Amino acid sequence: MPDPRHERFAQVLVDYSTRVEEGDLVLIESTALAAPLVRALYRRVVQAGGHPEVRIGVDGAAEALLARGNDEQLAWLSPRLRGDSREANVRIAIEAELNTRGLTGIDPARQAIFARARSKLRDLTMERAAAGELRRVVTAFPTNSSAQDAEMSLADYEDFVYRAGFLDEDDPIASWQELGERLARLAEWLGTKRELRVITEGTDLTVGVDGRTWIPCDGKENFPDGEVFTGPVETSVEGHVRFSFPAPHAGRLVRDIELRFEGGEVVEAHASEGEDFLREMLAMDDGARRLGEFAFGMNDSVQEFTGHTLFDEKLGGTVHMALGKAYPESGGTNESALHWDLVCDLRGESEVHADGEVVYRNGEFLPDLF
Amino acid sequence: MQSCLVSVGYKTGVTDPRIARLADLIVDYSLELQPGQVFRVDALDAASPLALEFYRSAIRAGAFPYTSLGLEGTLELLLEHASTEQIEYIAPQQWEEIEELDAIATIWSESNTRALSRVDPARHANYLAAQRKLHNRRWERIAAGEMRWCGTLFPTHAHAQDAGMSLASYEDFVFSACHVDSETAAEHWRLVSSSLHARAAALGAVKELRIMGPDTDLRVSVEGRSWIAADGCYNMPDGEVFTSPVENATEGEIRYTFPAIYHGREVEDIRLRFEGGSVVHAEAARGDDYLKTLLEMDKGARILGEVAFGLNYEIDRFTRNILFDEKIGGTMHLALGSAFSQAGGSNISGLHWDMICDLREDGEVYADGELIWQAGQFLHEPMPAPAPVEATEHA
């Protein structure tokens, strides 16, 4: 008997997030750990008239390639990867790892070669999404590895994940639509602003957003969701920022990242753990030193830090910014093989100024702005 | 917004060294994977440990590997819920892949070998017919020497259950059949290969085989046909020599002691009588109706398409899996239905049903009147043949 939460999860992803239609080629990408959700999705996609194709990763293959492959092998793109990027109408990617630190021992320079080669496919995916040819959602299936990062039991972590997606409610889709309307008003209001300044302990950062588009995220590309984001003006970022949450990326963890920006570019970078990896990522290409995204986390059902970016960046009362590639639909033009979201907690004493005026204090927008 | 899924992996548990040896054997010996070749591993999720070892082995060989893992249970969902159009759909990139690939390894590894028992056979047939187009293109490229393929099995509880064994005993059985319980598996298979090629060459001079056993006295003409040594290039394990008999010449009776399995259904104690090459009488103790239905499939279904000697003596028991059963040392199998053109056979049929005849106790085989096989063994070693000519199989 299928777990009813998996059925509901699948229903929201297929009917609401990706709106699968008859004839769509739908990729369901995960590991065997998410098998119950993958099967529920498969059935739902078939019932919606789509053509589901399952892509199950092999645990350990990425490590084998990164540890032992030559440069040509690292950079090689299989016909499957290329074909999937070109042909899919819908992609549902489900994170489900046995070990979220499995690549800690890998040479970061080799990870950079791997990431640079794959960035072509990622760019194609982003272009096709921006052009309306592709709908894709990234989500996560609760696993022991993620529960461990969150310092929770698997049962508690499952509750956390399903609550964050409003899947514990009778009508999750209605709740997402309601949040979506609020975020759309916020995005429209932010669209009238030229410059934001974020001030909190260890942080005083100015970000130009003049002429850029803010995108409300209501569960269609990430699930769970709940943020508004834009692509900052590439040369505008000035000041310093401290990311209070540990930053996981590509199978490892970096702690206490501090960055200083001048003319839009990182000129100084520190971390208490993983600093070498941070520097290697910043050196990946020119765009890796600039912000490609600036965003407000607006999901109040995510109340605690769990060490998983998909959730942490949605946490109500945070902002996040990504080093690297900008999303074309935001008007951002930064190009990079990197896109690394870093989350800054503003729930303590903090302020955000928009064009010189205080609009956000201690994790919340001031009332009646939008 | 998070933009992509970074798949991080690591290996579950401790690897049985035999799994890595099996992967190395197939990569180096069966497929002879070369640097720069594009290699795909097809499997279900239960075979992940072997798929990972294939991937590692191919990386070591300098090839470009990728895995194509399905999830157990999705085919049932498709066959149960999908429209005909959905069942027959093939994603466009699959056609592109089949042109680019230099080698494929297929790992059979089911979690329930009877999972499709209750699906509508017509819908299943639709699915198989649609997939066949892709398979045909694969086999064209293999026949043209443009691609290599090898099929193997990763032990699961389901396969062990069919064999009536524990998983641990079944693992021992599978890995010893592949000879990967030793560290010199490739050397073993090279020796097997030269011995099988010598046997095939010797059998090539034979005009008629007469198979004698309990309730069995069958004459099969093999004059002018080529015997093929199955030496681990296409299947692992392997170990048989086979040809396709002269279509109108089979005469006499045969009784199959092992159950014959077709698409998961077992037919027990089959007895056949041949006249002028065709089955004229057939009966079975169980599954008689099914046997007769299959014989009616088409004209070629009553004619032998294959005769073969099973010569893998590590495979010493019937396990309800044709990959192993047809190679049981001391058995012969004679398949009804389609023949092998590379052996000189011309019989055409939708059927190819391998039926295995146990000759280990009382069996005798005569070649042009001379006793060549007794109690499951050839009586004489063939003269050593020249080095095996792989090209004849792949040309």
Side-chain angles (χ1 to χ4, degrees):
Chain A
M1 186 65 197
D3 182 334
R5 292 191 296 192
H6 299 151
E7 298 298 309
R8 187 177 290 194
F9 201 165
Q11 182 186 349
V12 175
L13 291 171
V14 171
D15 299 357
Y16 172 77
S17 302
T18 59
R19 304 165 307 286
V20 172
E21 289 171 14
E22 201 175 315
D24 280 340
L25 172 54
V26 182
L27 304 183
I28 306 168
E29 304 167 275
S30 193
T31 72
L33 281 186
L37 178 59
V38 173
R39 288 195 194 95
L41 283 166
Y42 191 97
R43 177 166 44 220
R44 193 82 194 172
V45 169
V46 168
Q47 285 165 343
H51 302 299
E53 294 272 325
V54 171
R55 302 286 186 252
I56 298 293
V58 172
D59 301 307
E63 187 203 356
L65 175 64
L66 289 163
R68 293 192 206 79
N70 60 37
D71 287 2
E72 218 187 328
Q73 287 171 319
L74 282 181
W76 184 71
L77 303 173
S78 73
R80 173 68 56 89
L81 280 175
R82 286 183 277 121
D84 283 353
S85 301
R86 205 185 49 238
E87 301 290 345
N89 306 109
V90 170
R91 299 181 79 149
I92 301 172
I94 308 153
E95 297 188 3
E97 304 295 349
L98 280 163
N99 174 353
T100 63
R101 305 284 182 270
L103 298 181
T104 305
I106 298 296
D107 176 1
R110 294 170 61 74
Q111 267 174 299
I113 296 173
F114 179 84
R116 273 197 294 269
R118 272 155 186 74
S119 68
K120 282 179 230 151
L121 297 181
R122 188 208 53 197
D123 292 353
L124 175 63
T125 299
M126 282 190 182
E127 281 160 27
R128 292 190 62 228
E133 296 166 17
L134 169 71
R135 303 179 301 283
R136 77 243 159 88
V137 65
V138 175
T139 189
F141 186 76
T143 61
N144 269 313
S145 67
S146 293
Q148 182 172 321
D149 281 342
E151 299 182 340
M152 293 185 197
S153 70
L154 180 57
D156 286 346
Y157 187 70
E158 285 172 342
D159 289 344
F160 165 81
V161 168
Y162 295 124
R163 195 168 56 240
F166 311 148
L167 296 168
D168 56 340
E169 298 177 18
D170 290 335
D171 190 352
I173 293 175
S175 297
W176 281 110
Q177 283 163 338
E178 195 181 313
L179 177 60
E181 281 159 26
R182 180 168 131 77
L183 296 178
R185 290 195 302 275
L186 172 59
E188 196 180 335
W189 177 80
L190 283 166
T192 64
K193 306 301 172 194
R194 290 191 303 277
E195 186 182 88
L196 299 174
R197 183 176 171 197
V198 183
I199 304 163
T200 190
E201 201 189 336
T203 298
D204 185 349
L205 191 75
T206 304
V207 179
V209 292
D210 195 14
R212 297 299 160 95
T213 305
W214 288 83
I215 314 279
C217 298
D218 52 0
K220 297 202 173 81
E221 299 191 20
N222 279 185
F223 194 92
D225 211 340
E227 65 169 273
V228 288
F229 78 89
T230 193
V233 176
E234 287 67 26
T235 54
S236 70
V237 184
E238 296 283 346
H240 57 276
V241 55
R242 190 166 95 193
F243 297 98
S244 37
F245 289 157
H249 186 68
R252 66 175 88 209
L253 192 68
V254 183
R255 290 182 200 274
D256 300 315
I257 294 178
E258 290 185 70
L259 303 176
R260 196 160 64 76
F261 287 85
E262 280 179 15
E265 212 172 25
V266 174
V267 292
E268 212 179 310
H270 298 289
S272 67
E273 186 185 319
E275 190 171 293
D276 289 350
F277 180 71
L278 171 64
R279 289 182 192 286
E280 195 65 55
M281 292 299 109
L282 287 166
M284 186 180 291
D285 48 37
D286 289 344
R289 304 178 81 83
R290 294 182 190 275
L291 290 187
E293 179 185 352
F294 182 91
F296 290 92
M298 300 292 293
N299 184 335
D300 292 331
S301 292
V302 183
Q303 281 294 338
E304 49 197 318
F305 172 77
T306 57
H308 193 155
T309 303
L310 181 68
F311 296 90
D312 293 341
E313 66 174 8
K314 311 303 183 319
L315 211 148
T318 63
V319 290
H320 62 274
M321 38 205 109
L323 290 166
K325 172 79 177 175
Y327 291 96
E329 61 268 37
S330 68
T333 59
N334 196 40
E335 292 295 337
S336 174
L338 188 71
H339 182 96
W340 186 3
D341 290 292
L342 303 167
V343 186
C344 186
D345 194 355
L346 297 184
R347 289 173 300 175
E349 202 160 308
S350 61
E351 281 179 352
V352 178
H353 300 201
D355 297 336
E357 183 193 347
V358 179
V359 295
Y360 183 104
R361 187 172 284 135
N362 304 344
E364 286 186 56
F365 280 96
L366 301 184
D368 306 321
L369 288 175
F370 54 91
Chain B
M1 183 165 70
Q2 203 164 329
S3 66
C4 59
L5 177 143
V6 181
S7 190
V8 177
Y10 91 128
K11 168 167 77 64
T12 26
V14 176
T15 303
D16 183 332
R18 298 175 297 183
I19 301 173
R21 281 187 213 137
L22 179 57
D24 285 341
L25 175 67
I26 291 171
V27 163
D28 296 333
Y29 170 81
S30 306
L31 298 172
E32 297 180 299
L33 207 59
Q34 302 299 312
Q37 286 194 324
V38 177
F39 173 48
R40 191 177 78 195
V41 182
D42 291 345
L44 287 173
D45 55 300
S48 281
L50 179 55
L52 174 60
E53 294 304 335
F54 267 118
Y55 189 88
R56 293 177 151 179
S57 188
I59 287 287
R60 174 189 49 71
F64 294 124
Y66 65 104
T67 56
S68 175
L69 242 66
L71 189 68
E72 183 81 31
T74 55
L75 182 57
E76 292 98 283
L77 292 173
L78 185 76
L79 295 177
E80 190 181 347
H81 298 288
S83 66
T84 305
E85 194 224 332
Q86 285 172 303
I87 285 174
E88 293 176 352
Y89 176 81
I90 289 175
Q93 60 267 44
Q94 293 217 55
W95 292 108
E96 194 179 325
E97 288 182 48
I98 211 67
E99 300 302 328
E100 278 192 41
L101 284 161
D102 297 302
I104 296 178
T106 299
I107 310 170
W108 294 296
S109 192
E110 296 189 53
S111 302
N112 173 357
T113 61
R114 300 291 186 271
L116 297 179
S117 299
R118 295 188 181 193
V119 305
D120 178 352
R123 290 164 69 77
H124 194 195
N126 277 349
Y127 172 80
L128 293 173
Q131 295 291 318
R132 199 165 296 132
K133 293 174 202 155
L134 205 54
H135 282 266
N136 288 347
R137 179 61 192 138
R138 174 194 296 196
W139 282 103
E140 268 173 37
R141 294 199 61 225
I142 292 169
E146 297 165 3
M147 185 200 275
R148 302 280 285 261
W149 173 82
C150 185
T152 190
L153 178 139
F154 184 71
T156 61
H157 280 293
H159 294 296
Q161 183 171 321
D162 274 346
M165 296 166 85
S166 72
L167 180 58
S169 310
Y170 188 68
E171 286 171 345
D172 290 346
F173 167 78
V174 169
F175 293 133
S176 80
C178 299
H179 238 267
V180 292
D181 49 357
S182 96
E183 285 179 25
T184 54
E187 279 168 48
H188 168 83
W189 283 102
R190 280 185 199 101
L191 288 174
V192 167
S193 177
S194 70
S195 150
L196 292 175
H197 278 88
R199 179 66 63 196
L203 287 167
V206 174
K207 294 196 197 63
E208 185 189 75
L209 293 173
R210 184 174 178 190
I211 303 160
M212 310 276 288
D215 300 312
T216 297
D217 183 354
L218 191 75
R219 291 162 189 271
V220 178
S221 168
V222 291
E223 189 174 3
R225 300 296 160 98
S226 307
W227 287 81
I228 293 170
D231 59 358
C233 290
Y234 292 91
N235 280 180
M236 185 54 67
D238 213 340
E240 61 170 305
V241 288
F242 66 93
T243 191
S244 290
V246 176
E247 286 68 21
N248 58 6
T250 310
E251 296 283 347
E253 294 178 339
I254 186 164
R255 179 178 180 184
Y256 293 98
T257 39
F258 289 132
I261 303 172
Y262 191 75
H263 281 209
R265 288 182 66 172
E266 290 185 27
V267 181
E268 281 176 23
D269 199 15
I270 294 178
R271 295 167 194 236
L272 303 175
R273 194 165 76 239
F274 289 86
E275 280 175 24
S278 287
V279 173
V280 294
H281 180 78
E283 61 178 90
R286 194 171 139 240
D288 190 57
D289 289 349
Y290 189 54
L291 168 66
K292 285 177 176 138
T293 307
L294 290 174
L295 285 169
E296 292 302 317
M297 186 185 284
D298 50 39
K299 207 171 150 228
R302 295 182 161 264
I303 295 171
L304 289 184
E306 179 184 1
V307 57
F309 291 93
L311 295 168
N312 186 330
Y313 290 91
E314 309 292 343
I315 306 176
D316 58 359
R317 70 189 79 188
F318 184 71
T319 60
R320 290 185 168 70
N321 187 318
I322 195 64
L323 177 66
F324 298 88
D325 294 340
E326 66 176 2
K327 290 138 198 161
I328 298 171
T331 62
M332 288 190 74
H333 57 279
L334 296 96
L336 288 171
S338 65
F340 299 100
S341 56
Q342 70 269 37
S346 61
N347 193 39
I348 293 167
S349 174
L351 190 72
H352 182 96
W353 189 7
D354 287 297
M355 299 178 178
I356 300 147
C357 191
D358 192 354
L359 300 176
R360 291 175 296 181
E361 299 273 317
D362 305 316
E364 286 180 346
V365 179
Y366 295 83
D368 300 327
E370 182 198 347
L371 182 66
I372 59 164
W373 164 287
Q374 198 165 35
Q377 302 274 353
F378 281 106
L379 295 178
H380 305 289
E381 277 301 305
M383 294 296 287
V389 186
E390 298 282 340
T392 55
E393 262 165 73
H394 302 295

